[in-house]
Amino acid sequence: MAFARRPGCLLGRDSGPLRRVCSRTMALPCFVLELPGCTLAHFALGGDVAPHLSNVQDSRGDPRLAALLEPPGRSYSLCVPVAPDGSCAARVRAAKLHQRLLHQLRHDGPFQRCQLRRLLGYCPEGGGVQHGVLLHDPRDSPDTRRALHALLDTCQEAPSPPRLGEFTGDSSHQVWQRLWELRDGQGWHLADGQRVLPVPEPALHPVVPDLPSSGVFPDREAACAVLEACTSFIPEARAVLDLVDMCPDQTQKGRFPVIVIEGLDATGKTTVTQSVSDSLKAVLLKSPPAYIGQWRKIFDDEPTIIRRAFYSLGNYIVASEIAKASTKSPVIVDRYWHSTATYAIATEVSGGVQHLPPPHHPIYQWPRDLLKPDLVLLLTVSPEERLQRLEGRGMEKTKEEAELETNSIFRQKVEISYRRMENPACHVVDASPAREKVLQNVLNIIQNNCD
């Protein structure tokens, strides 16, 4: 696994086995691997220990890494670097390629007996992350290696082809990684090895600084840039952008209150929003609005960066409707920016809830150019109650809805992210009681917080 060149980093092989460093602090490039139980292991690659990493260990220092990277079996890293310019288009291309590789690794015959684990590459001082996967073949079959080479052969025309690394152990129980390189007319060959060095976990998950350009967009312009890069292969992206162009750059709400109702699926959100709207004689809006909601299935099948750009722009489109409607009556909105951000955070931040950005982190702040509601209500029910309601619905589930059911850690990350949102924060409402009681509680909160 190797980094592409980026400004401020010296990452080429010509600089020596340990010279892949970030120039500001001479820091080793690092990697974070998701292990069973949503725990994380951080490691670096190098021949010697960098002076600034005083508590770095050798590969024997973390038995979790040794269990995955040493025999029996064999482990490989496959990473998709972002092109050197780091542009939005480069990020989109890398995300699409990473998605395609994951699909093939999960479904192609030689790989189906292998274990896949999420792997991210990062530089401790910033500069973006690289998405990848650690593939462990418990049988160490030559067919797996041949299939990986064949997979790489299909990607060589990409601006930044994926990099394949192979892990081996030596007699002293050190773990090494060697990169496979394509030599002209000679096929695939293993390069010199670099030692695997466990390193301390950073204070902040390494993907968090990358989120404003990959999932939790700080403004409309950032989300538009992503869909602009998609218009050549997603025609609907142009249609969404045309609708955004029709919206004012800055929207101001009218004199009537705007209330957003958030919640996981099957918390009673649809019923409550309709009931509150009827009680207040309010306009009921939904994000994304119906006329782009028809394209949800298309964007839900895309990588996170594209999917979240679509939902982010849906918020800006519905904001122009909120601005108009709130001049004449109260407005109730079924989901808005908070849901867009929480799902992006929970999806992109690997590991457990302890790896989420801490409370009051800027990622939880409302976008500076998006119309802000007067009140946000978060409906909650117990996991058992929510599952019971879902079973009774019999509706087709999105990928995220399915993961909420099967992955309790993912659900907890979504819920905690909701509760950490600020400016405005969420007012939590217990939606377990009877419908009439929940409605009355919601109306009381609205009365106490809105004119």
Side-chain angles (χ1 to χ4, degrees), residues 37-40 201 351-357 413:
C38 290
T39 58
L40 300 179
E201 183 172 310
V353 296
Q354 70 272 25
H355 299 109
L356 289 172
K413 289 197 289 187

PDB file of all heavy atoms in Angstrom, residues 37-40 201 351-357 413:
ATOM      1  N   GLY A  37     -15.030  -6.509  16.160  1.00  0.00           N
ATOM      2  CA  GLY A  37     -15.516  -5.724  17.285  1.00  0.00           C
ATOM      3  C   GLY A  37     -15.398  -4.242  17.089  1.00  0.00           C
ATOM      4  O   GLY A  37     -15.510  -3.473  18.050  1.00  0.00           O
ATOM      5  N   CYS A  38     -15.155  -3.793  15.837  1.00  0.00           N
ATOM      6  CA  CYS A  38     -15.045  -2.373  15.499  1.00  0.00           C
ATOM      7  C   CYS A  38     -13.906  -1.688  16.244  1.00  0.00           C
ATOM      8  O   CYS A  38     -13.967  -0.494  16.538  1.00  0.00           O
ATOM      9  CB  CYS A  38     -16.365  -1.635  15.755  1.00  0.00           C
ATOM     10  SG  CYS A  38     -17.669  -2.096  14.602  1.00  0.00           S
ATOM     11  N   THR A  39     -12.862  -2.449  16.580  1.00  0.00           N
ATOM     12  CA  THR A  39     -11.658  -1.836  17.118  1.00  0.00           C
ATOM     13  C   THR A  39     -10.727  -1.488  15.955  1.00  0.00           C
ATOM     14  O   THR A  39     -10.886  -2.002  14.846  1.00  0.00           O
ATOM     15  CB  THR A  39     -10.945  -2.781  18.097  1.00  0.00           C
ATOM     16  OG1 THR A  39     -10.622  -3.999  17.404  1.00  0.00           O
ATOM     17  CG2 THR A  39     -11.840  -3.089  19.288  1.00  0.00           C
ATOM     18  N   LEU A  40      -9.756  -0.619  16.213  1.00  0.00           N
ATOM     19  CA  LEU A  40      -8.862  -0.148  15.169  1.00  0.00           C
ATOM     20  C   LEU A  40      -7.413  -0.427  15.553  1.00  0.00           C
ATOM     21  O   LEU A  40      -7.046  -0.337  16.724  1.00  0.00           O
ATOM     22  CB  LEU A  40      -9.041   1.356  14.934  1.00  0.00           C
ATOM     23  CG  LEU A  40     -10.431   1.832  14.498  1.00  0.00           C
ATOM     24  CD1 LEU A  40     -10.439   3.356  14.341  1.00  0.00           C
ATOM     25  CD2 LEU A  40     -10.870   1.158  13.208  1.00  0.00           C
ATOM     26  N   GLU A 201      -2.599   5.368  18.412  1.00  0.00           N
ATOM     27  CA  GLU A 201      -3.819   5.890  17.794  1.00  0.00           C
ATOM     28  C   GLU A 201      -3.847   7.408  17.938  1.00  0.00           C
ATOM     29  O   GLU A 201      -3.628   7.935  19.026  1.00  0.00           O
ATOM     30  CB  GLU A 201      -5.041   5.276  18.474  1.00  0.00           C
ATOM     31  CG  GLU A 201      -6.350   5.686  17.864  1.00  0.00           C
ATOM     32  CD  GLU A 201      -7.511   4.893  18.443  1.00  0.00           C
ATOM     33  OE1 GLU A 201      -7.418   3.652  18.489  1.00  0.00           O
ATOM     34  OE2 GLU A 201      -8.504   5.524  18.865  1.00  0.00           O
ATOM     35  N   GLY A 351     -14.563   1.955  12.856  1.00  0.00           N
ATOM     36  CA  GLY A 351     -14.431   1.651  14.271  1.00  0.00           C
ATOM     37  C   GLY A 351     -15.727   1.880  15.024  1.00  0.00           C
ATOM     38  O   GLY A 351     -16.812   2.014  14.446  1.00  0.00           O
ATOM     39  N   GLY A 352     -15.621   1.955  16.343  1.00  0.00           N
ATOM     40  CA  GLY A 352     -16.788   2.094  17.192  1.00  0.00           C
ATOM     41  C   GLY A 352     -17.126   3.539  17.513  1.00  0.00           C
ATOM     42  O   GLY A 352     -16.536   4.479  16.979  1.00  0.00           O
ATOM     43  N   VAL A 353     -18.094   3.701  18.429  1.00  0.00           N
ATOM     44  CA  VAL A 353     -18.588   5.037  18.771  1.00  0.00           C
ATOM     45  C   VAL A 353     -17.487   5.900  19.391  1.00  0.00           C
ATOM     46  O   VAL A 353     -17.528   7.126  19.299  1.00  0.00           O
ATOM     47  CB  VAL A 353     -19.803   4.943  19.718  1.00  0.00           C
ATOM     48  CG1 VAL A 353     -20.973   4.260  19.044  1.00  0.00           C
ATOM     49  CG2 VAL A 353     -19.435   4.197  21.004  1.00  0.00           C
ATOM     50  N   GLN A 354     -16.497   5.261  20.009  1.00  0.00           N
ATOM     51  CA  GLN A 354     -15.418   6.025  20.645  1.00  0.00           C
ATOM     52  C   GLN A 354     -14.541   6.738  19.625  1.00  0.00           C
ATOM     53  O   GLN A 354     -13.753   7.624  19.985  1.00  0.00           O
ATOM     54  CB  GLN A 354     -14.557   5.110  21.527  1.00  0.00           C
ATOM     55  CG  GLN A 354     -13.705   4.103  20.777  1.00  0.00           C
ATOM     56  CD  GLN A 354     -14.434   2.794  20.497  1.00  0.00           C
ATOM     57  OE1 GLN A 354     -15.662   2.749  20.434  1.00  0.00           O
ATOM     58  NE2 GLN A 354     -13.669   1.720  20.361  1.00  0.00           N
ATOM     59  N   HIS A 355     -14.661   6.381  18.354  1.00  0.00           N
ATOM     60  CA  HIS A 355     -13.847   7.002  17.315  1.00  0.00           C
ATOM     61  C   HIS A 355     -14.565   8.151  16.611  1.00  0.00           C
ATOM     62  O   HIS A 355     -13.979   8.778  15.716  1.00  0.00           O
ATOM     63  CB  HIS A 355     -13.427   5.946  16.292  1.00  0.00           C
ATOM     64  CG  HIS A 355     -12.604   4.841  16.884  1.00  0.00           C
ATOM     65  ND1 HIS A 355     -13.083   3.559  17.053  1.00  0.00           N
ATOM     66  CD2 HIS A 355     -11.341   4.842  17.392  1.00  0.00           C
ATOM     67  CE1 HIS A 355     -12.149   2.817  17.614  1.00  0.00           C
ATOM     68  NE2 HIS A 355     -11.081   3.562  17.831  1.00  0.00           N
ATOM     69  N   LEU A 356     -15.802   8.429  16.986  1.00  0.00           N
ATOM     70  CA  LEU A 356     -16.508   9.578  16.408  1.00  0.00           C
ATOM     71  C   LEU A 356     -15.808  10.877  16.799  1.00  0.00           C
ATOM     72  O   LEU A 356     -15.120  10.944  17.822  1.00  0.00           O
ATOM     73  CB  LEU A 356     -17.950   9.605  16.915  1.00  0.00           C
ATOM     74  CG  LEU A 356     -18.903   8.528  16.397  1.00  0.00           C
ATOM     75  CD1 LEU A 356     -20.219   8.596  17.161  1.00  0.00           C
ATOM     76  CD2 LEU A 356     -19.145   8.676  14.903  1.00  0.00           C
ATOM     77  N   PRO A 357     -15.989  11.934  15.997  1.00  0.00           N
ATOM     78  CA  PRO A 357     -15.473  13.239  16.427  1.00  0.00           C
ATOM     79  C   PRO A 357     -16.048  13.603  17.791  1.00  0.00           C
ATOM     80  O   PRO A 357     -17.219  13.304  18.074  1.00  0.00           O
ATOM     81  CB  PRO A 357     -15.977  14.197  15.335  1.00  0.00           C
ATOM     82  CG  PRO A 357     -16.242  13.328  14.153  1.00  0.00           C
ATOM     83  CD  PRO A 357     -16.673  12.000  14.689  1.00  0.00           C
ATOM     84  N   LYS A 413     -23.669   4.910  16.262  1.00  0.00           N
ATOM     85  CA  LYS A 413     -22.910   6.054  15.740  1.00  0.00           C
ATOM     86  C   LYS A 413     -23.849   7.094  15.128  1.00  0.00           C
ATOM     87  O   LYS A 413     -23.621   8.301  15.279  1.00  0.00           O
ATOM     88  CB  LYS A 413     -21.876   5.573  14.714  1.00  0.00           C
ATOM     89  CG  LYS A 413     -20.723   4.804  15.336  1.00  0.00           C
ATOM     90  CD  LYS A 413     -19.525   4.679  14.406  1.00  0.00           C
ATOM     91  CE  LYS A 413     -19.759   3.760  13.253  1.00  0.00           C
ATOM     92  NZ  LYS A 413     -18.527   3.526  12.461  1.00  0.00           N
TER      93      LYS A 413
END
